[in-house]
Amino acid sequence: MKKLYLLLLLTILSVQSFAGSCPDGSDPIKSISDDGTYFVYKCGGGTSNNSNSSNETSSSTSSTNKKSRNGKTLNKSSTIITYDVEFSEAVLKELLEKIVAKTEFDFSSHNIANNSGNISCVFKLRRVNYDESVEGRIENWNIANGSLSIQDGKVSIDSGSSWRMGGLSSDPNYLQNEVNVRITKDGHFVGKMAYFVLNVEPGSVAIKPSYPKLRKNPKSKPLSLNSPENAELWIDFDDPDEQWQGGVLYLSNCKNKS
Amino acid sequence: MSKLKLTRRDFLKASGASLFLAGLPIPGYTQDKPPGTISVIILEGGMDGLAAIPPFGDPNLMSMRKAMTPDNYLKLNSFFGLHPSFNFFSGLMAKNNAAVVHATNFPYLLRSHFEGQNFMQGGGLAPFSETTGWLGRSLDLAKTPGRALSLDMPLILRGHNEVDNFFPASIKSSSKLKDNLIDMITQSHTNESAASFGKLKKKVGMEVKNMPRDPASLAVYAGKEMAKENGPLASVIKVDQFDTHANQGSDENGNHGAQLTVVDDILKGYKEGLGDAWDRSIILTLTEFGRTAFANGTNGTDHGYGSAGLLAGGMINKSKIITQWPGLSKRELFEERDLMSTIDYRSVCAACIEKALGLDHDVIADKVFFNPKLPRVFDYIFS
């Protein structure tokens, strides 16, 4: 008998919960007005456009509250709600690292030669191929060449210099604007720069540059800042996909103009 | 063996997009340089706002579209998440340089791409009611009309004033533009305007032939141009393929996720190109409609109504989700099928114009969107 009463009670509750506000007991269908400025609730296919009707509510007057899944109250009021973005400290740090610029480099751990004077050099960049030997084979053609200037520790590539890898590399912009390199007090280049790894034939798909980090390399023969003449600066790649090759930047005819 | 590895994602990222630049200040006409720049990323096909910014706090979300909702979304707060494709955008969120307006759209209800795209670009009271676009009209009001850097200028940038189109920046089939055409256009201008065209001719001959055409690179290029002194104040990049009726996917490897990655790359490109000018920039997305709340029978979604708008730029100083959340239960959906739009996205566009171009909201509401009663949401976004 108790079970029957319980069943009856549940049936009544169920009917109540499905009951809508429409005369026929169905749920009203939410829509918006023709001019898009207020909500319209349709019952049984009929539409009322009277904004004062009890069956429709303007978006500026609707106000209900609802519990979200985690229990936080989501206030559906006439006012727009702004939800702050909340990250833990660890997540925040990880996310902020994603928006670092391609050539951004932290020089703080390097002893930069801020008083290097004004040095100019001719340069040529050659690829080292590690496919055939661990020591690498320096290829006998220049992948980039030209001249560069070093002023107050900052290395900038002179106009007229160029990459020789075809495709996008012929855009001088990469050498002018995407080189963030400094010279250390012991004559090494450190920083990041746009670097074209593969040669692109005319008509082939363009390949974007890589951005390797330039660091002190034990194989390098650094530039003497006191009597600059020549240097041989080796470049290695961190990306495993690109470690089949590296580079050597040869500096020659260096002169201190200051 | 070739060392070039081209994945499907790489291919999509390198696929076509269009860039349009406009609003070069004109010496002697533009009185005060507007405070910022405005860029619009048009997402053609209908971006799925519920996939891009999943409201995982809504109890109905998973029951209606589990197959469309990524498991690895980034939790933004207790109610909203961020699709994993938004790698860079999440960084901007962390830096307080990004915001999302959710459950929003232009008040267009009929789910036609053709009409919807016209309506969102025209910004009038109905599709095809305007021959000019809301951004173009805004530039008119800011006295920086025209000079659109394209041959086939989109509706959104068309202003009332006569506009010169001259630059094939990155427009398909425009590489045949001849120097003499630029010379001809140059002759119709004087002083600094003419000098600008001269520089352009030099560029056409030099860099453009090797300019990459993928969306991210176009954004870098646009950003660099906009960062220049007296550079364009507005840019528009169009991306398509958001119309995922089948096999929409859920994560960054799905069809829709791949397109969201393109949007993310564009934002990254803008940031890179703008450099220091990022601080005075605002970028917003625009899509003709959202998608149905329920998945269809082919693991996709169909044309809907409400969606989400992504905002980014240095002019945003607090990351947040702005919404009047309508809910996802059947009776809360528009026509029992689509996310309701509770914020008129024209208000969001108006706020961005107000911020970037320094125009008064009432003027924008009246003269740009022809709706003097358009609500002002500026403070929600920028304060």
Side-chain angles (χ1 to χ4, degrees), chain B residues 93-257:
Chain B
M93 276 276 183
K95 204 181 174 215
N96 280 321
N97 273 174
V100 172
V101 182
H102 216 321
T104 179
N105 213 343
F106 275 58
Y108 171 69
L109 313 175
L110 299 180
R111 306 188 184 98
S112 154
H113 292 299
F114 195 50
E115 287 186 345
Q117 286 168 12
N118 183 280
F119 188 44
M120 73 174 176
Q121 291 191 37
L125 298 175
F128 302 103
S129 64
E130 299 303 319
T131 55
T132 57
W134 59 263
L135 189 50
R137 291 192 294 273
S138 304
L139 292 168
D140 280 353
L141 289 169
K143 296 191 183 297
T144 56
R147 306 299 186 273
L149 302 181
S150 76
L151 290 176
D152 48 348
M153 189 170 54
L155 175 63
I156 189 172
L157 278 171
R158 289 181 204 159
H160 290 297
N161 292 314
E162 202 167 307
V163 185
D164 296 317
N165 300 334
F166 60 91
F167 186 38
S170 56
I171 312 303
K172 286 178 184 174
S173 309
S174 59
S175 58
K176 293 178 182 172
L177 191 70
K178 302 294 184 190
D179 285 354
N180 57 5
L181 175 57
I182 300 177
D183 287 340
M184 202 167 65
I185 298 169
T186 307
Q187 285 164 15
S188 67
H189 291 73
T190 56
N191 302 328
E192 292 187 39
S193 292
S196 298
F197 287 92
K199 287 178 190 170
L200 199 68
K201 180 183 173 185
K202 200 175 166 189
K203 281 193 161 194
V204 169
M206 284 171 53
E207 300 170 27
V208 173
K209 61 185 176 185
N210 285 318
M211 207 182 94
R213 309 293 172 98
D214 63 281
S217 298
L218 292 180
V220 175
Y221 178 80
K224 282 180 179 170
E225 291 298 311
M226 295 169 87
K228 290 176 182 172
E229 187 72 18
N230 294 325
L233 295 168
S235 70
V236 175
I237 291 183
K238 282 206 285 187
V239 186
D240 56 10
Q241 298 184 38
F242 281 89
D243 198 17
T244 46
H245 287 284
N247 299 321
Q248 178 168 311
S250 60
D251 61 13
E252 62 271 41
N253 298 313
N255 288 329
H256 202 269

